[in-house]
């Protein structure tokens, strides 16, 4: 097609298809608007809430990208509730997301890895958020992919009244939306509202996310296993048996040590991520409310699976804000196989 033909483009489809200007895809804002009627309580608040999360992630992305140039690397000199050393970027990301969600006004309470108790934001808010503002802390200072993980719930108590435990300690199956942001070679926002999973890639020169991975599907099977084998000696016989099975079948071992990055790769390529119970951490390391529930919702919405080794993550009733759980997630056949080997633990 030469320039004059291109300039004579008549119909919108021919313009859309013109190779002279590649289509950049649907902007996140437009996608949220176009799909708003899918939301159970579609009145714009959940849409705004998703926009607030996207905005905060752009600010965090900017800070993560220039971390080596400004003084935000290293420890913040404090510990979070789990006793993990807080990195400066952990604290910064927590402030950015809390501020954006407080300003938005849609959220009544926020559960965060970086806060001991939930943060009371606004009694008029209809939604409760559980968030891991920056996941993969051990990789922050070494420029390896890190992420943000979020879960959205509808409050149970009437708006305008004090927040109650029933508003906070909800099962993962009650999530109305969930997602993650991956700060990697490119930055992506992946989320679900219970109608499939869509991925958006950030275009920094336009400051906008664009639909790049519509209707993401986790392959039923794969050849990648992700587990910290450094903890091998503290694994159960069942987990050791599954690792041998993977090696006997020449599966590839891939473990970044950033849950979001390992989860994302396995969702695209097929694979299983396992953080099991260990002698040290009888309930595993990962947190149910702001790490596992969101990824379990996405796993299931993309045709994958997520369990604690015996039951569905989304069926677990949380008892404490920062409770931990073993986590098996990814390709459905691989999760089931790992569980089968785990259940015969002699
Ligand atoms: P945080 O960094 O948010 O505490 O998340 C936990 C995490 O870093 C996951 O991202 C990762 O998969 C896992 O812990 C790595 O743990 P380990 O170093 O014990 O393998």
């Amino acid at each position: 097609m030469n320039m004059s033909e291109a300039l004579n483009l008549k119909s919108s489809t021919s313009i859309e298809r013109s190779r002279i200007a590649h289509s950049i895809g649907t902007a996140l804002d437009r996608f949220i608007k176009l799909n708003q009627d899918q939301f159970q309580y579609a009145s714009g608040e959940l849409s705004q809430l998703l926009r607030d999360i996207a905005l905060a992630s752009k600010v965090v992305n900017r800070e993560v990208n220039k971390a080596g140039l400004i003084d935000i690397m290293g420890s913040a000199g404090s510990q979070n509730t789990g006793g993990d050393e807080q990195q400066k970027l952990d604290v910064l990301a927590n402030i950015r997301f809390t501020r954006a969600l407080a300003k938005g006004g849609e959220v009544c309470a926020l559960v965060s890895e970086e806060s001991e108790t939930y943060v009371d934001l606004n009694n008029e808010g209809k939604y409760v958020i559980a968030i891991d503002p920056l996941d993969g802390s051990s990789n922050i200072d070494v420029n390896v992919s890190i992420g943000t993980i979020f879960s959205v719930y509808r409050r149970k108590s009437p708006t305008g009244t004090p927040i109650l435990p029933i508003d906070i300690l909800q099962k993962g199956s009650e999530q109305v939306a969930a997602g993650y942001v991956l700060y990697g070679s490119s930055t992506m926002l992946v989320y679900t509202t219970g109608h499939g999973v869509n991925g958006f890639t950030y275009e920094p020169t336009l400051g906008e996310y664009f639909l790049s991975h519509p209707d993401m599907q986790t392959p039923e099977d794969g050849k990648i296993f992700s587990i910290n084998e450094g903890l091998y000696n503290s694994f159960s016989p069942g987990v050791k048996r599954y690792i041998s099975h993977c090696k006997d079948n020449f599966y590839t071992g891939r473990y970044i040590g950033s849950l979001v990055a390992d989860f994302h790769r396995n969702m695209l390529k097929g694979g299983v991520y396992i953080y099991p119970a260990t002698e040290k951490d009888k309930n595993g390391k990962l947190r149910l409310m702001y790490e596992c529930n969101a990824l379990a919702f996405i796993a299931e919405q993309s045709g994958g699976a997520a369990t604690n080794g015996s039951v569905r993550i989304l069926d677990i009733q949380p008892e404490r804000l920062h409770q931990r759980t073993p986590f098996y997630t990814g390709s459905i056949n691989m999760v089931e196989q790992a569980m089968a080997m785990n259940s015969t633990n002699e």
Side-chain angles (χ1 to χ4, degrees):
M1 181 190 287
N2 62 31
M3 181 57 88
S4 63
E5 281 162 344
L7 296 173
N8 289 337
L9 291 174
K10 295 275 173 289
S11 72
S12 64
T13 34
S14 56
I15 287 177
E16 184 54 34
R17 279 211 211 93
S18 87
R19 285 196 304 282
I20 206 167
H22 281 290
S23 158
I24 199 167
T26 307
L28 175 66
D29 246 24
R30 176 181 298 283
F31 185 88
I32 290 174
K33 205 177 283 144
L34 289 173
N35 294 282
Q36 184 166 290
D37 56 8
Q38 282 179 349
F39 303 159
Q40 202 176 350
Y41 311 94
S43 52
E45 285 110 341
L46 184 56
S47 303
Q48 187 50 48
L49 194 161
L50 290 170
R51 289 195 196 94
D52 297 337
I53 289 175
L55 175 61
S57 75
K58 293 174 188 176
V59 179
V60 170
N61 178 62
R62 182 189 66 191
E63 268 130 15
V64 164
N65 285 348
K66 62 178 184 197
L69 302 173
I70 53 177
D71 176 27
I72 45 174
M73 296 277 243
S75 168
S78 51
Q79 289 193 338
N80 66 20
T81 46
D84 304 330
E85 194 189 346
Q86 285 183 311
Q87 304 297 307
K88 287 181 188 159
L89 268 169
D90 280 325
V91 176
L92 183 139
N94 193 44
I95 293 168
R96 291 291 182 200
F97 282 101
T98 306
R99 205 180 273 163
L101 293 164
K103 236 193 228 142
E106 323 296 351
V107 176
C108 59
L110 182 95
V111 174
S112 166
E113 179 180 17
E114 305 309 332
S115 314
E116 177 99 27
T117 61
Y118 68 82
V119 183
D120 216 329
L121 289 183
N122 149 29
N123 267 3
E124 297 307 320
K126 292 186 181 137
Y127 292 97
V128 173
I129 295 264
I131 192 164
D132 180 353
L134 215 55
D135 168 70
S137 311
S138 59
N139 282 324
I140 290 177
D141 287 1
V142 290
N143 220 348
V144 170
S145 301
I146 48 182
T148 293
I149 308 172
F150 64 90
S151 288
V152 184
Y153 298 87
R154 188 112 178 139
R155 70 178 295 172
K156 303 252 181 213
S157 62
T159 51
T161 64
I163 312 291
L164 300 172
I166 48 162
D167 295 316
I168 307 291
L169 297 175
Q170 299 191 45
K171 283 184 181 176
S173 54
E174 307 212 62
Q175 290 172 100
V176 292
Y180 59 81
V181 182
L182 174 60
Y183 310 100
S185 45
S186 67
T187 293
M188 280 192 71
L189 169 65
V190 174
Y191 79 95
T192 183
T193 56
H195 304 274
V197 176
N198 292 284
F200 300 78
T201 299
Y202 185 55
E203 214 296 0
T205 60
L206 298 175
E208 184 51 279
Y209 284 102
F210 291 92
L211 182 64
S212 53
H213 296 65
D215 194 20
M216 299 174 84
Q217 296 295 321
T218 301
E220 290 191 350
D221 254 308
K223 293 229 177 297
I224 296 172
F225 68 105
S226 308
I227 188 166
N228 181 349
E229 286 197 71
L231 303 170
Y232 184 86
N233 295 341
S234 69
F235 290 157
S236 68
V239 173
K240 289 177 179 172
R241 218 187 340 272
Y242 183 68
I243 293 174
S244 311
H245 161 80
C246 293
K247 293 179 176 177
D248 298 347
N249 291 280
F250 304 102
Y251 290 1
T252 300
R254 287 279 181 277
Y255 190 73
I256 297 169
S258 284
L259 172 60
V260 170
D262 283 312
F263 178 90
H264 185 76
R265 182 212 38 252
N266 292 352
M267 179 159 70
L268 293 178
K269 295 192 177 253
V272 63
Y273 170 99
I274 302 175
Y275 206 111
T278 62
E279 269 150 34
K280 178 169 136 301
D281 294 320
K282 296 276 180 279
N283 291 313
K285 175 184 182 181
L286 302 176
R287 312 307 163 28
L288 174 66
M289 290 211 53
Y290 44 77
E291 287 173 325
C292 302
N293 271 338
L295 300 183
F297 193 18
I298 292 196
E300 292 197 5
Q301 281 288 313
S302 64
T307 79
N308 67 353
S310 44
V311 300
R312 199 172 157 247
I313 289 287
L314 298 182
D315 290 339
I316 300 173
Q317 172 57 50
E319 279 135 26
R320 298 176 312 287
L321 288 187
H322 302 283
Q323 78 184 65
R324 300 175 191 267
T325 177
F327 196 40
Y328 296 65
T329 190
S331 297
I332 195 161
N333 296 341
M334 297 179 83
V335 171
E336 282 167 5
Q337 202 154 32
M339 286 171 65
M341 291 190 183
N342 197 32
S343 58
T344 54
N345 243 335
E346 72 283 343

